[in-house]
Amino acid sequence: MQAARLHEYTDDMSEALQIDEIDRPDLERSDQVLIEVEGAGWCQTDNHIVEGMWTDYAPQDLPMTLGHENAGIVAEVGEEVTLVEEGDPVICHPVQTCGICRPCRLGEDMYCENSAFNGLTTDGGFAEYLQTNERAVIPLPDGVDPTEIAPHADAGITAYHAVKKAVAELNPGDTCVVIGVGGLGHIGIQCLDAMSAADIVAADIKADALELAADLGARHTVNSADEDVASVIADLTDDEGVQQVIDFVGRDETTALAPNIVAAGGDHHVVGYGGHVHEPSQALVDGEFAFRGTLVGKYAELQELVALVDRGDVELRTERHDLADINTVAERLEHNEIEGRAVLTPP
Amino acid sequence: MQAARLHEYTDDMSEALQIDEIDRPDLERSDQVLIEVEGAGWCQTDNHIVEGMWTDYAPQDLPMTLGHENAGIVAEVGEEVTLVEEGDPVICHPVQTCGICRPCRLGEDMYCENSAFNGLTTDGGFAEYLQTNERAVIPLPDGVDPTEIAPHADAGITAYHAVKKAVAELNPGDTCVVIGVGGLGHIGIQCLDAMSAADIVAADIKADALELAADLGARHTVNSADEDVASVIADLTDDEGVQQVIDFVGRDETTALAPNIVAAGGDHHVVGYGGHVHEPSQALVDGEFAFRGTLVGKYAELQELVALVDRGDVELRTERHDLADINTVAERLEHNEIEGRAVLTPP
Amino acid sequence: MQAARLHEYTDDMSEALQIDEIDRPDLERSDQVLIEVEGAGWCQTDNHIVEGMWTDYAPQDLPMTLGHENAGIVAEVGEEVTLVEEGDPVICHPVQTCGICRPCRLGEDMYCENSAFNGLTTDGGFAEYLQTNERAVIPLPDGVDPTEIAPHADAGITAYHAVKKAVAELNPGDTCVVIGVGGLGHIGIQCLDAMSAADIVAADIKADALELAADLGARHTVNSADEDVASVIADLTDDEGVQQVIDFVGRDETTALAPNIVAAGGDHHVVGYGGHVHEPSQALVDGEFAFRGTLVGKYAELQELVALVDRGDVELRTERHDLADINTVAERLEHNEIEGRAVLTPP
Amino acid sequence: MQAARLHEYTDDMSEALQIDEIDRPDLERSDQVLIEVEGAGWCQTDNHIVEGMWTDYAPQDLPMTLGHENAGIVAEVGEEVTLVEEGDPVICHPVQTCGICRPCRLGEDMYCENSAFNGLTTDGGFAEYLQTNERAVIPLPDGVDPTEIAPHADAGITAYHAVKKAVAELNPGDTCVVIGVGGLGHIGIQCLDAMSAADIVAADIKADALELAADLGARHTVNSADEDVASVIADLTDDEGVQQVIDFVGRDETTALAPNIVAAGGDHHVVGYGGHVHEPSQALVDGEFAFRGTLVGKYAELQELVALVDRGDVELRTERHDLADINTVAERLEHNEIEGRAVLTPP
Ligand SMILES: [Zn+2]
Ligand SMILES: [Zn+2]
Ligand SMILES: [Zn+2]
Ligand SMILES: [Zn+2]
Ligand SMILES: [Zn+2]
Ligand SMILES: [Zn+2]
Ligand SMILES: [Zn+2]
Ligand SMILES: [Zn+2]
Ligand SMILES: [Zn+2]
Ligand SMILES: [Zn+2]
């Protein structure tokens, strides 16, 4: 089968991956599942993996097939699988977990001690077939197209997970700032709108991103290329700041906003990871605010996001490309030229 | 009356404050209360105020009487006060709040929009008398000595507040690291021990501080001058890290421990504010941990801490000094020479 | 001034209250506020008070002016009031709280130990003027009409409060049943819709109430006069039951639904109080469900509800009547003939 | 092998179970585990099962081996089991869960949709061998005796689970009432004492149970045969009531205490299931209290309880009996003659 594989870390996205002809994976355990991939989203994290930025955090053996945002049709199941059968359309949570370790038992399956992460620590879905397991697949409701929903497997649940943490702290009349209205941000705004009655302020440097934000439910938009975000927030909130910030960018200049825009007791959720957090301890103490790192969402959260999609509350902006064009997609995202999300479709 | 006042910011603690003869405060509102001060704790924050480190965060008119950890006897009450009367022994929460603004209505009185902070934004308790209000005083149970309990008004509730946030996340079998076993840390360990069944690991650079920690309930101690804290934690926790860290130091080198010692999903509570937090966003994302700033505790938390003292669960280590010796105390704390907490007793 | 007062408990609503000419209240404390009443909602609780059903729960001296759902214009303020001034339009939280007792300090002002409840334990707002205090008034945003918003002072925040407790437990894909789509229920459905992405099922015995529910955001409606609620819920939820039930009726037959419709770990919120809860302990244990009593919402929750109204998320259905017609209103509510909420307007 | 089996429901405990010679179970799935039973606790629930009291709640095919509180040594493992191996000492959570359904994924494994409950819906541990699965076994720390710890598998985690829910609501200075100091209650008091700084009040009708309660950490004891519990609580709490009640009895007369002893906003946790809850809805509303049903604890909670045992925080009072004497044990518990917990030891 065809698979787009990383052979060497590189900063040149035009030669990021190589289309190889490899064997279709065999199932080896009673709980494994083989998926015929219908769609696989390309993600900023893929660029970071190609650059070698994850080698300190995750074990990687090259060559490796990338692709962690997958959906498709069940092609084969291990002998003790009961959740799905051949022919079922599914979305694939990117992490195959054990169900046995204490984090799994607490429902915190993203902290599983025996996990494999598609396209990050094990072969992913930029390929005709993907091997995963029963605990990583979610059957799709009737009428939901696997190709269309694929990016929710990571972009979607990462945005959803951050939003869910924020929503738990937001009351009607509170304000939430969303920084960055790209692949994740445009999902995050829709989730916020569906799940809370807080006022949403969207910040970005592109006018059309801000227009999209307003369409999707933002009450106010700030172009951070032109305007001083902190002043705008001070005006909007009577100098009190906002209860929650969801930072889908995570650069030095966005995290540096925290002391000036977060209200006392609030949170600055760090989702994007382009730069650093850097503040005097006194600033955190004085405002009693937190920088809260935010990982990919859990399996149960992907179920909840599928429910939001099924209700019509969240819609993805996607464009589709042949697997063969994968490096072009990589380059375009590097240059911030993709609106919404690009999905690769294997042959 | 005598009052120890700050006239000019300085780094020289030997001339930090000046004992002035000033008028005893008059009560001007129906809810105000005048306290004859029996004890006033000297705090690291007082050194920071003297150095001018709070001018960016809090409005200050000099000269100002310092002292935010006060207890004493009610000397006079405004005409609508019902909670206390002349002669009642009380501990004084350091912040006089309004009871009207939204944060006050939410019970988040530390975020009050119309507050005065004793010894930080208004005259404090290094004096014979202190003016405060009904919402800032807590009657003491029989048998509790005001001089003895005074430092709980800030050191105590700050430690308690951080511990309470940590305890909400700690299960039996989990581990909590306490960094810094000084004035706050030695209270924090006792609160942790009383309120949770987590294993406590104490880290400090002084052997006798660690001995005290072990006496007060720490299961393990680490001398961070000699040992690598991260390795010790990795050994103790099977490489998983600890669920919660309470950092009473807040220096660059203590906050830098977070990515290496905090378990996935855990928190590094920043209580001390000697330095910075500085990490790649990716570290926070990968470990889904948070740096959570922690302020002084609320009024209701001071009630809870008084209950802990009354139960015999928390004991302060204090030494007493005449108000006249206040600058000597300031110098000794600067040189890390005070065990537990120093309390000033006005004439 | 004119005031509608209860002189004697009675089951005959045609002579519930008597319009008396009494003195306008004087302000006696520095924090009191006098309101010229613009609107006062009539409530099922008023019928219950007239019947004497609250004598076991609340101290009452007759004659007493009823009316706990009030809004109007500030006519006079005590000398230390800062939140409002003469001429400000406000909505009045029904409970005047002290701001001093521990529940008040925790933000739980409905549990205040020194409170007065308008129209239940002290004179209420079925009158030209109402005496209340600073901690009980909320300034209205521009464009919000006091007469229109008055019922939110109790009907609104009681519904909101119950919904907020339910929303904390609801995820997208979960289901919430609302029992009773009257004065409270029709507000509750709108709050649920604005604050969560759960599926709402409304149950009532009147076809037009169910039609209203569908208009306001319910996904499914059940006429409990014709259909077996438990069967409908079983069908809708694959036999699992619903995560949350908000029971605005609280009769024997509605609380008896709990074991058959609440999913494991879920809650049956008891808001209405027409009957009893009565179940074997084993039923609660086996399903690990709870009967959770629900009181009027807090002051801060009324602020949040005003924000929802200001956003356009919640709209009241009201009809207006002269104060003189108050007993006719009482009778019509007794016979379940009022759609939405009746508001009395004093002369 | 020998197994004590229920052939017919009966109220006569002298012929409750019959010792049969049956086949040792075979492992049929890759995740199953066979345990050589070292100890199996006899429980009030066993009496209830024998009486047929669970037939409405759980599917049962007779004859069935009872026994849900088991610990022992791993005798055989399915081929994909990794958590344990032959010879490991383990405690057995009573419920075999699937790890696949949504409740399992949320960490709520007690609500598993595909579960088997040892000794309630499938053969249990009053036998030489017990078949269970990998998700139901917890390896024991060195030095913990399986026979001694067995009752924690249900009595322990049920008490622990209720306590954990209560502790989340308890602050220092608050009060928690424990009703019933038997097999569960004596564990519950120890968990409360280890995990909170609330004051514990124990109520029972036996003097020696109250003495045990005082030894284990109760501050106050009430003999409800002689004293009026509500008056005692009113005196102890200045008429405010207690924040939490844990009712290990669950009879009509114990649940009826709630409106008179639970403080506003508090909870009455129903753990025992001897009778009914029966109150006017108005009582729940007026006091905003809840009756919260409480089931067996989760797997992760059993891990936490094992940690408490390992720390020395919780100690069981047990007596041991041969499997052959099982009906005598059943009779003695029926007559309330067992102190602490009886453990059966198979041959
Ligand atoms: Zn991704
Ligand atoms: Zn795992
Ligand atoms: Zn830096
Ligand atoms: Zn201090
Ligand atoms: Zn305030
Ligand atoms: Zn009402
Ligand atoms: Zn109060
Ligand atoms: Zn009954
Ligand atoms: Zn049991
Ligand atoms: Zn399951």
Side-chain angles (χ1 to χ4, degrees), chain C residues 230-248:
Chain C
S231 308
V232 174
I233 298 297
D235 283 353
L236 284 172
T237 63
D238 261 331
D239 292 321
E240 281 180 38
V242 304
Q243 285 68 31
Q244 300 284 302
V245 174
I246 308 180
D247 185 346
F248 290 111

Side-chain angles (χ1 to χ4, degrees), chain A residues 77-239:
Chain A
V77 296
E79 59 189 7
E80 290 176 358
V81 169
T82 59
L83 181 66
V84 292
E85 56 188 0
E86 210 187 307
D88 288 350
V90 295
I91 185 166
C92 302
H93 190 282
V95 185
Q96 302 174 42
T97 58
C98 75
I100 299 299
C101 70
R102 183 164 159 89
C104 278
R105 298 310 298 266
L106 289 167
E108 293 293 349
D109 43 49
M110 280 307 300
Y111 310 152
C112 174
E113 296 163 8
N114 312 295
S115 67
F117 199 120
N118 299 340
L120 180 66
T121 69
T122 191
D123 282 339
F126 294 143
E128 294 176 61
Y129 290 92
L130 166 75
Q131 178 262 301
T132 180
N133 74 4
E134 189 176 15
R135 282 178 50 93
V137 294
I138 295 177
L140 292 176
D142 286 349
V144 174
D145 174 6
T147 311
E148 200 55 31
I149 205 176
H152 278 311
D154 174 53
I157 45 167
T158 300
Y160 176 82
H161 179 61
V163 165
K164 195 173 174 184
K165 288 162 86 170
V167 163
E169 312 292 331
L170 287 166
N171 292 311
D174 288 350
T175 305
C176 181
V177 171
V178 172
I179 302 177
V181 189
L184 274 74
H186 88 287
I187 302 169
I189 288 169
Q190 294 175 77
C191 295
L192 266 172
D193 194 40
M195 297 164 68
S196 86
D199 293 342
I200 304 169
V201 179
D204 202 301
I205 53 175
K206 298 202 298 186
D208 48 358
L210 293 172
E211 213 171 295
L212 174 63
D215 283 356
L216 298 176
R219 286 225 148 183
H220 307 276
T221 58
V222 196
N223 191 320
S224 48
D226 306 336
E227 297 173 89
D228 179 54
V229 177
S231 309
V232 174
I233 298 296
D235 285 353
L236 284 172
T237 63
D238 262 329
D239 291 321

